[in-house]
Amino acid sequence: MNTNVLILLFRIGGGIILYLFLAAVVAVMWRDWRAVARQAEASRQAAAQPLGRLVVLQAGQSDLAPGQAIPLSVVTGLGRASFNTVVVEDAFASNEHARLSRRNDRWWLEDLGSRNGTLLNGERLNAPAIVSTGDEVGIGEVRLRIELA
């Protein structure tokens, strides 16, 4: 066989292999992109579902208004600092006072080492506790009712 024909066949074969390789890479990338898109959509749908809310029962000296509803996040910080989900402007509130968080399909309330403590249904919280709809959280003069979805 002529060497020119042999070289031509190698070039054609190499080109075919290269195109097959590129097609496989595109197929894998497309599959991964679709999987990420499905996960992102599932996350958006989960985030759109309300988790619950805190309703202000007593505002004390804070800027909160009685009856105001504050939506819950998976982790909801309560305290005087502006980065908290619920900013409690109260003289007895710590910067990072308490945290409401959802773990294993349950809601937990924990005091974050605040100086004046956190109340759950009128009693001082000494350890993280499971909370449910209707429970009341007290921080200083502020009282909040938990309403879970």
Side-chain angles (χ1 to χ4, degrees):
M1 192 180 263
N2 189 352
T3 55
N4 288 337
V5 173
L6 191 59
I7 291 174
L8 179 64
L9 289 176
F10 277 131
R11 285 184 177 175
I12 291 172
I16 291 171
I17 290 172
L18 179 62
Y19 281 114
L20 289 174
F21 174 75
L22 290 175
V25 167
V26 168
V28 167
M29 289 176 58
W30 177 259
R31 186 189 68 212
D32 288 349
W33 179 80
R34 294 298 304 150
V36 168
R38 281 192 296 275
Q39 287 175 342
E41 181 60 28
S43 294
R44 275 193 295 275
Q45 289 176 354
Q49 296 175 354
L51 299 172
R53 62 189 190 160
L54 291 172
V55 178
V56 179
L57 301 176
Q58 182 179 327
Q61 300 298 315
S62 72
D63 292 339
L64 300 170
Q68 178 181 353
I70 304 159
L72 290 174
S73 301
V74 174
V75 176
T76 302
L78 299 101
R80 205 172 51 224
S82 62
F83 57 77
N84 287 295
T85 309
V86 181
V87 178
V88 179
E89 289 291 337
D90 187 282
F92 296 101
S94 298
N95 282 334
E96 294 182 70
H97 196 96
R99 180 184 306 127
L100 261 170
S101 57
R102 186 171 181 172
R103 296 179 292 212
N104 300 326
D105 294 328
R106 291 183 165 184
W107 282 93
W108 293 79
L109 175 65
E110 59 186 306
D111 184 85
L112 300 176
S114 66
R115 178 172 288 174
N116 296 303
T118 302
L119 300 179
L120 177 59
N121 297 322
E123 299 202 14
R124 190 173 178 122
L125 188 64
N126 295 317
I130 296 172
V131 295
S132 58
T133 296
D135 285 343
E136 291 184 16
V137 177
I139 297 176
E141 295 179 359
V142 176
R143 299 288 177 268
L144 306 160
R145 182 180 61 238
I146 299 171
E147 295 180 357
L148 303 174

